[in-house]
């Protein structure tokens, strides 16, 4: 395999940059461009959903913009359009870079990434037309799900072949986090696809499987890609090793063991042993949580000036902090007595969103800010927009999270008292929901700033390539 | 053993362990459960939904009602659901065997609906879907007017009885579209009633008017006095002290309300 990959090196047009950058440039940029577009769309839908939650009469007469559909489509696009697509791009980049290997079959990967976006469009339209499956985290109907599954198989397959054929003998934790994530997704996705669509499991089992799937999707698949890219960037940009590689491998294994539960709350209508197993596993995630805390603390080494010097470092470190907060919050909502209090409140929604937006998106921004100028050989066009993006994004996420956290605890406390009428509980939730809209608007604005930067650098690079192609053609013509 | 092999084996082991615990064993335990006979009642439980109610389940799923409403009740000791009058017992895996897919939800922006069929009647549900604030003052549920149509007064017996600000203009009436009827009929089919071995119920006296009491603040007026809420069936529950069945009160089967009076 490696000889074949090495032979392809000779074909590369560019010799100034490493050939493995050339091999993955188009697929990775395609995947990240798609992810950026979907993030804008998803957050826009989320803002709309958030407004509809406290203004029930807003756009109430059109079926396809009813709250349930908008919420489902926002979650679907954020997970499948943005998160998983960005994961794939990140995975390919890190596997090529750390392994010093050319991407296996880059053209097929590019083609598959186009189809992936087709699958997301199809899924999104189907959900808006009322064909959602009703499972949180697995909203798309069969056709879209099949397209997405096949595309993942192709892209992840090429990524894993690249990983196996790596030329670098040293193993980095980030590679293993990412390789594990690529395979893990296939495992949980195929299980969910078969047991929810092909041979639907009986009754409540479908909910159990959907819950297990969405827990593994967020905590393991997205969590590993996010942690992998943070562990890739920290030592590289701080110019000192991760503290330590062994602890990072320990995190990998313990997280795979404990975060792969089903996240069932204490009152869920499942057999008691399942709820208890899920609860025990949830509480045990405090082991990897402590280990990551140790890595973050020791690697940063109180050198906050260096951490602040580079946007990728700042994003990575913020992502790591958000990850720890989100995991701690997940543990809180697993402890039986607290689980009963917060299980159906916006506390849980706040945790999920902090994980997806606060941690995962920031980890992706960190890597995209670091890698895109290298891939496209151009600096970021608007440096100030990068700062605007970071601060608006973090403020928005923090505001939304804080109000939903407090609102959720309040909602749970009020719900627990049967004497408090339900309308009072609902109306107590309105102020946090309004502040959440403000937070989401800030996030949307920040994403616009990010997208403006990303698509400008992409456009400039495309114009350059077109100009270079023209020059080559002209010189060929004049030569003949 | 090389480091790579060890890591691969460790990760495969974690995945398989998780898969066995949360997929395989539940499949073996619950994959084939069948209808059962309710304790001290000679009825089969749960009952499969009618075709119309199954249609309604699709409307419920399509519009993402489960984004705001759960269909799962907590036991008495770990939640206020029973005390709120949302049901008479906790929900169990058994209650969902005919649900495909089960729409148990995860958020309570609105009240739980696991047992809504025993708390409200069909007409009230239809009015609530058309204009939630008629039934629950200050409700933040959006109106689902696209499940209804407004047309010139005809001979239809199923026009909604709406109070002034919500009613259609003079000479017009609001009638539910087939989707609206199906959705309401699905909601009516949501009843957690069978007494099972796992849930020998204590005598829980639910609030006499559970739907309204749980939903309306005390100082607000009921929206539409012309549409009184049906008394929930479980108000007549009595436990027989001392007998073996004392913990398992009899559920009085509630009459199916007339759909369009």
């Amino acid at each position: 395999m490696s000889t074949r990959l090495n032979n392809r090196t000779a074909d590369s047009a560019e010799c100034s940059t490493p050939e493995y950058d050339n091999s993955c440039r188009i697929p990775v940029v395609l995947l990240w461009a798609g992810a950026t577009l979907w993030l804008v769309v998803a957050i826009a839908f989320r803002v709309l959903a958030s407004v509809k939650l406290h203004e029930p009469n807003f756009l109430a007469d059109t079926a396809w913009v009813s709250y349930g559909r908008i919420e489902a489509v926002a979650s679907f696009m954020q997970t499948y359009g943005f998160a998983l697509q960005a994961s794939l791009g990140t995975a390919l980049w890190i596997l090529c870079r750390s392994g010093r290997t050319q991407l296996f079959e880059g053209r097929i990967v590019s083609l598959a990434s186009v189809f992936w976006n087709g699958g997301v469009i199809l899924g999104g339209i189907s959900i808006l037309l009322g064909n959602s499956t009703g499972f949180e985290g697995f909203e798309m109907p069969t056709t879209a799900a099949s397209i997405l599954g096949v595309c993942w198989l192709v892209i992840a397959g090429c990524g894993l072949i690249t990983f196996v054929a790596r030329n670098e003998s040293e193993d980095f934790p980030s590679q293993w986090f990412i390789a594990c994530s690529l395979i893990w997704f296939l495992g949980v996705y195929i299980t969910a696809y078969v047991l929810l669509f092909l041979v639907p499991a009986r009754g409540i089992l479908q909910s159990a499987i959907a819950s297990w799937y969405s827990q593994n999707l967020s905590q393991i698949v997205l969590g590993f890609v996010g942690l992998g890219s943070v562990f890739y960037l920290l030592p590289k940009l701080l110019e000192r090793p991760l503290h330590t590689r062994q602890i990072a491998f320990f995190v990998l294994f313990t997280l795979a063991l404990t975060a792969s539960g089903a996240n069932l709350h204490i009152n869920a209508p499942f057999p008691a042993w399942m709820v208890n197993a899920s609860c025990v596993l949830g509480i045990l995630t405090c082991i990897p949580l402590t280990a990551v805390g140790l890595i973050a603390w020791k690697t940063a080494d109180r050198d906050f000036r260096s951490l602040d010097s580079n946007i990728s470092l700042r994003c990575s470190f913020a992502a790591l902090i958000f990850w720890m907060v989100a995991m701690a919050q997940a543990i809180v909502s697993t402890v039986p007595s607290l689980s009963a209090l917060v299980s159906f409140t916006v506390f849980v929604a706040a945790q999920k969103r902090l994980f997806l937006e606060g941690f995962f998106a920031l980890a992706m921004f960190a890597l995209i800010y670091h890698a895109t100028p290298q891939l496209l050989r151009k600096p970021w066009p608007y440096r100030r927009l990068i700062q605007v993006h970071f601060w608006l994004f973090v403020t928005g996420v923090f505001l939304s999270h804080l109000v939903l956290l407090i609102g959720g605890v309040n909602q749970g406390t009020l719900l627990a008292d049967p004497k408090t009428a339900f309308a009072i509980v609902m109306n107590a939730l309105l102020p946090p929901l309004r502040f959440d809209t403000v937070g989401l608007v800030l996030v949307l604005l920040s994403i616009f700033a990010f997208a403006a930067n990303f698509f400008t650098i992409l456009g400039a690079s495309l114009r350059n390539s077109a100009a270079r192609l023209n020059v080559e053609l002209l010189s060929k013509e004049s030569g003949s | 053993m090389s480091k790579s092999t060890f890591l691969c084996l460790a990760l495969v082991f974690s995945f398989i362990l998780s898969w066995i615990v949360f997929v395989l064993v539940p499949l073996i335990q619950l994959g084939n459960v069948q209808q059962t006979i309710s304790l001290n009642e000679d009825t089969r439980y749960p009952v499969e939904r009618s075709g119309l109610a199954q249609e309604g389940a699709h409307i419920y799923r399509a519009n993402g009602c489960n984004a705001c409403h759960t269909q799962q009740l907590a036991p008495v000791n770990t939640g206020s659901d029973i005390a709120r009058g949302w049901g008479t017992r906790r929900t169990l895996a058994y209650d969902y065997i005919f649900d495909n897919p089960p729409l148990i939800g995860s958020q309570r922006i609105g009240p739980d609906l696991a047992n809504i069929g025993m708390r409200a009647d069909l007409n009230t549900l239809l009015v609530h879907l058309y204009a939630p604030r008629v039934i629950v003052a200050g409700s933040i549920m959006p109106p689902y007017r696209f499940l209804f149509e407004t047309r010139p007064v005809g001979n239809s017996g199923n026009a909604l009885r709406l109070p002034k600000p919500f009613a259609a203009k003079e000479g017009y009436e609001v009638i539910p579209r087939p989707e609206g009827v199906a959705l309401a009929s699905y909601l009516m089919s949501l009843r957690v009633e069978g007494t099972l071995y796992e849930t020998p119920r204590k005598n829980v006296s639910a609030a006499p008017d559970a739907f309204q009491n749980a939903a309306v603040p005390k100082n607000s007026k009921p929206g539409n006095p012309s549409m009184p809420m049906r008394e929930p069936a479980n108000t007549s529950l009595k436990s027989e002290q001392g007998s073996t069945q004392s913990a398992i009160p009899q559920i009085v089967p509630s009459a199916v309300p007339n759909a369009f009076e």
Side-chain angles (χ1 to χ4, degrees):
Chain A
M1 187 67 64
S2 60
T3 44
R4 190 180 155 202
L5 291 173
N6 285 337
N7 285 343
R8 284 152 52 107
T9 315
D11 304 335
S12 304
E14 295 290 332
C15 300
S16 54
T17 49
E19 57 281 353
Y20 38 84
D21 264 11
N22 289 325
S23 72
C24 69
R25 176 178 301 122
I26 295 172
V28 169
V29 169
L30 258 180
L31 286 164
W32 281 345
T36 309
L37 274 182
W38 284 119
L39 185 61
V40 174
V41 180
I43 299 289
F45 271 118
R46 220 170 251 294
V47 171
L48 183 61
S50 155
V51 171
K52 284 179 73 78
L53 208 49
H54 50 81
E55 298 297 331
N57 282 310
F58 178 60
L59 297 178
D61 288 335
T62 322
W64 69 270
V65 282
S66 58
Y67 173 76
R69 298 190 191 190
I70 296 284
E71 173 62 28
V73 93
S75 143
F76 167 71
M77 285 173 173
Q78 200 170 355
T79 310
Y80 293 86
F82 165 66
L84 286 171
Q85 194 164 207
S87 294
L88 284 171
T90 303
L92 297 182
W93 156 265
I94 291 183
L95 290 178
C96 288
R97 271 267 162 157
S98 306
R100 298 185 189 284
T101 325
Q102 281 205 320
L103 177 63
F104 179 75
E105 294 297 349
R107 280 184 197 167
I108 294 181
V109 173
S110 304
L111 191 69
S113 77
V114 173
F115 274 99
W116 177 279
N117 284 295
V120 178
I121 294 175
L122 186 69
I125 293 175
S126 311
I127 294 169
L128 288 179
L129 291 177
N131 292 323
S132 109
T133 56
F135 300 114
E136 244 175 85
F138 205 79
E139 297 91 351
M140 62 288 184
T142 322
T143 324
S146 315
I147 297 175
L148 294 177
V150 172
C151 290
W152 185 279
L153 188 68
V154 171
I155 302 176
C158 292
L160 288 168
I161 292 174
T162 313
F163 175 59
V164 172
R166 63 190 179 277
N167 296 323
E168 173 69 52
S169 57
E170 207 176 346
D171 274 356
F172 301 99
S174 52
Q175 291 171 301
W176 280 92
F177 270 94
I178 277 159
C180 176
S181 156
L182 292 179
I183 302 180
W184 204 283
F185 180 78
L186 275 181
V188 289
Y189 195 81
I190 291 171
T191 307
Y193 186 86
V194 170
L195 291 173
L196 299 181
F197 291 160
L198 295 188
V199 207
R202 194 153 180 79
I204 201 68
L205 275 176
Q206 293 184 23
S207 294
I209 288 158
S211 183
W212 173 79
Y213 168 80
S214 81
Q215 162 80 1
N216 279 273
L217 176 66
S218 69
Q219 308 273 302
I220 305 275
V221 178
L222 300 180
F224 277 13
V225 171
L227 284 179
S229 67
V230 169
F231 289 162
Y232 170 82
L233 286 173
L234 283 184
K236 196 169 263 300
L237 297 173
L238 282 172
E239 292 171 347
R240 53 173 175 261
L242 204 62
H243 184 100
T244 64
R245 221 175 260 194
Q246 279 70 22
I247 304 182
F249 281 118
F250 174 78
V251 169
L252 174 71
F253 180 60
T254 47
L255 208 54
L257 211 54
T258 58
S260 55
N263 193 25
L264 307 175
H265 64 87
I266 187 75
N267 295 327
F270 301 105
W273 69 265
M274 271 175 87
V275 175
N276 292 337
S278 166
C279 168
V280 169
L281 281 180
I283 293 172
L284 283 178
T285 50
C286 65
I287 298 170
L289 174 61
T290 318
V292 171
L294 189 68
I295 293 178
W297 183 250
K298 288 283 189 182
T299 307
D301 202 17
R302 296 187 196 174
D303 182 9
F304 298 111
R305 192 169 294 167
S306 329
L307 278 180
D308 201 40
S309 62
N310 179 309
I311 183 68
S312 294
L313 264 178
R314 205 190 298 159
C315 284
S316 302
F317 216 72
L320 216 48
I321 291 170
F322 280 136
W323 183 85
M324 288 189 274
V325 176
M327 292 303 278
Q329 207 181 332
I331 294 175
V332 166
S333 61
T334 328
V335 176
S337 52
L338 297 170
S339 170
L341 193 71
V342 297
S343 51
F344 296 124
T345 67
V346 289
F347 183 91
V348 178
Q351 192 271 337
K352 285 180 187 161
R353 277 199 13 216
L354 187 71
F355 196 90
L356 203 55
E357 285 160 20
F359 157 67
F360 183 78
L362 266 179
M364 292 301 103
F365 294 146
L367 197 80
I368 293 175
Y369 275 135
H370 171 74
T372 313
Q374 299 183 35
L375 271 177
L376 300 177
R377 282 160 296 167
K378 280 198 175 312
W380 286 105
Y382 310 115
R383 300 204 72 77
R384 193 160 292 171
L385 269 191
I386 296 181
Q387 302 298 327
V388 171
H389 166 224
F390 177 80
W391 288 111
L392 270 185
F393 188 83
V394 171
T395 316
V397 167
F398 184 73
L399 175 67
S400 282
H401 184 253
L402 192 68
V403 292
L404 290 183
L405 188 79
I406 298 169
V409 173
N410 186 35
Q411 186 191 2
T413 322
L414 290 176
L415 264 178
D417 175 19
K419 290 193 192 91
T420 313
F422 192 77
I424 293 177
V425 183
M426 289 189 296
N427 284 298
L429 198 56
L430 286 178
L433 292 179
R434 292 198 180 106
F435 276 110
D436 176 38
T437 308
V438 177
L440 276 168
V441 169
L442 293 183
V443 169
L444 183 64
L445 290 176
S446 78
I447 308 285
F448 278 134
F450 172 73
N453 240 331
F454 186 85
F455 287 107
T456 311
I457 193 175
L458 187 61
S461 166
L462 282 178
R463 273 196 299 278
N464 257 9
S465 313
R468 209 178 316 134
L469 208 66
N470 259 346
V471 170
E472 275 173 24
L473 283 177
L474 280 176
S475 62
K476 263 187 194 171
E477 270 176 22
S478 61
S480 64
Chain B
M1 187 159 57
S2 76
K3 193 174 157 195
S4 303
T5 326
F6 175 75
L7 270 173
C8 279
L9 285 179
L11 293 172
V12 168
F13 167 76
S14 338
F15 180 81
I16 291 179
L17 190 69
S18 163
W19 195 83
I20 289 177
V21 173
F22 290 102
V23 178
L24 186 65
V25 179
L27 265 182
I28 295 169
Q29 188 185 359
L30 293 172
N32 219 1
V33 283
Q34 302 295 333
Q35 252 182 345
T36 184
I37 309 267
S38 295
L39 290 184
N40 74 350
E41 292 160 53
D42 279 341
T43 50
R44 288 189 170 271
Y45 184 81
V47 191
E48 201 159 359
R49 295 209 158 80
S50 70
L52 187 63
Q54 279 179 19
E55 272 302 302
H58 292 308
I59 308 290
Y60 188 93
R61 177 178 51 74
N63 290 299
C65 303
N66 52 331
C68 293
H69 294 281
T70 54
Q71 287 182 19
Q72 36 183 332
L73 295 166
V76 178
N77 52 341
T78 54
S80 66
D81 301 1
I82 310 295
R84 278 180 183 278
W86 285 349
T88 52
R89 65 159 171 87
R90 70 162 301 175
T91 44
L92 290 166
Y94 243 110
D95 298 317
Y96 306 88
I97 61 176
F98 290 120
D99 288 7
N100 186 21
L103 298 157
I104 60 172
S106 68
Q107 285 265 341
R108 279 184 183 163
I109 307 292
D112 187 272
L113 298 181
N115 207 31
I116 187 70
M118 292 179 79
R119 309 207 303 264
D121 66 63
L122 200 103
N123 272 332
T124 315
L125 284 175
L126 282 168
V127 173
H128 193 269
L129 286 171
Y130 180 77
R133 290 182 184 186
V134 173
I135 306 292
V136 182
S139 167
I140 58 166
M141 176 171 145
Y144 284 83
R145 289 188 286 257
F146 56 84
L147 299 173
F148 297 82
E149 63 179 312
T150 306
R151 63 177 197 192
V153 173
N155 244 349
S156 53
N158 57 355
L160 299 188
R161 282 183 284 163
L162 295 161
K164 250 281 140 36
F166 299 95
K169 60 185 175 189
E170 199 70 25
Y172 283 81
E173 62 183 5
V174 177
I175 63 158
R177 291 177 194 273
E179 305 94 277
V181 178
L183 179 58
S185 126
Y186 166 70
L187 292 172
M188 286 307 296
S189 77
L190 292 172
R191 340 162 59 89
V192 180
E193 52 183 342
T195 308
L196 301 173
Y197 181 72
E198 295 87 340
T199 56
R201 278 169 282 177
K202 298 227 169 60
N203 185 10
V204 183
S205 56
D209 210 341
F211 189 41
Q212 275 198 327
N213 271 9
V216 187
K218 278 184 187 123
N219 53 2
S220 67
K221 290 178 196 162
N224 181 10
S226 70
M227 303 206 55
M229 205 71 66
R230 193 167 56 85
E231 296 263 306
N234 57 4
T235 46
S236 56
L237 297 185
K238 274 181 192 140
S239 67
E240 294 161 35
Q241 294 285 320
S243 79
T244 45
Q245 294 169 351
S246 64
I248 307 159
Q250 196 85 30
I251 294 279
V252 178
S254 51
V256 179
N258 193 354
F260 302 109
E261 297 163 321

